[in-house]
Amino acid sequence: MYSKESIRNIVLVGFMGTGKSTVGKKLARSLSWSFMDTDAQIESREQQSIPEIFREHGEAYFRKVESEVIEQVMNDSKQVVSMGGGAVLLERNREHMLQNGLVIALVASAEAIIERVQGNPDRPLLQGDLAERVHTMMEQRRGVYDFAPLIIDTEQCSSEEIAAQIMKLIE
Ligand code: S3P
């Protein structure tokens, strides 16, 4: 069991479309903590949308900014932080998360993810053949969310149920 008092931040990680932002906002409201989304922070810092950053500067540049944002955000406390799906790829980022918060991974099947992200133009890495992209990337990223001490299967649950489940774990 965890207690709210002993947790500095809650950090939500997981593949695109696992519901990190939706769950995170609900959780932050329940805890009366602030909500932080690293993608939104990157966009406001760069004054560009995520697709624009990928298009104009490339993924390597995006990852560099993402790391800087993670380091900065994790300095603060009493926040629910929703991380971009690829934020876990760098060890340095994972360390910042683990050192400054309770990391929770949200997981779902490829089929559920495909259904959730269909028609959304905001994810540059999923453009083209969506099903092929999701399957390939999930395969490439197999195991990368396992560093989280808590893993929650979101397949059959609403975002309210997942937020309630997390609240129960930390109260
Ligand atoms: C990415 C996930 C996205 C965003 C960017 C790259 C990834 O965030 O950071 O498009 O590499 O998985 P979401 O997981 O919030 O969609």
Side-chain angles (χ1 to χ4, degrees):
M1 270 312 237
Y2 301 87
S3 80
K4 181 183 169 186
E5 287 66 37
S6 65
I7 299 170
R8 213 170 115 84
N9 294 294
I10 290 179
V11 181
L12 299 178
V13 298
F15 198 84
M16 293 171 266
T18 47
K20 293 161 292 186
S21 298
T22 319
V23 170
K25 281 180 197 153
K26 297 197 161 105
L27 196 55
R29 207 171 308 129
S30 301
L31 288 162
S32 299
W33 283 7
S34 47
F35 173 72
M36 201 56 96
D37 184 312
T38 55
D39 283 342
Q41 291 297 310
I42 294 167
E43 290 183 324
S44 105
R45 198 181 122 153
E46 296 294 298
Q47 290 295 298
Q48 275 186 318
S49 69
I50 302 288
E52 280 167 350
I53 299 171
F54 269 75
R55 199 169 49 239
E56 286 181 26
H57 307 282
E59 182 171 352
Y61 178 80
F62 172 81
R63 295 293 171 211
K64 181 176 142 302
V65 178
E66 184 174 52
S67 277
E68 288 164 9
V69 163
I70 291 170
E71 188 168 350
Q72 192 187 6
V73 166
M74 295 314 299
N75 267 328
D76 233 321
S77 59
K78 290 195 173 19
Q79 343 162 71
V80 178
V81 185
S82 167
M83 293 283 170
V88 300
L89 297 174
L90 282 182
E91 188 182 357
R92 180 175 149 220
N93 295 347
R94 295 195 296 270
E95 277 167 10
H96 280 302
M97 297 177 204
L98 290 169
Q99 277 161 15
N100 297 292
L102 171 63
V103 183
I104 304 176
L106 303 185
V107 297
S109 67
E111 287 63 37
I113 286 170
I114 290 164
E115 206 177 300
R116 289 179 197 165
V117 303
Q118 223 153 30
N120 186 328
D122 300 333
R123 293 185 171 97
L125 297 177
L126 296 184
Q127 298 314 299
D129 182 339
L130 177 62
E132 186 278 326
R133 292 301 301 142
V134 169
H135 284 287
T136 303
M137 287 189 68
M138 282 184 93
E139 189 52 40
Q140 285 166 348
R141 292 186 177 176
R142 186 188 286 273
V144 294
Y145 302 105
D146 293 353
F147 76 103
L150 283 172
I151 298 179
I152 297 181
D153 187 350
T154 67
E155 191 85 16
Q156 307 291 341
C157 304
S158 68
S159 51
E160 284 84 8
E161 285 166 339
I162 298 158
Q165 207 177 319
I166 297 173
M167 281 303 285
K168 236 187 186 160
L169 286 168
I170 62 172
E171 271 172 348

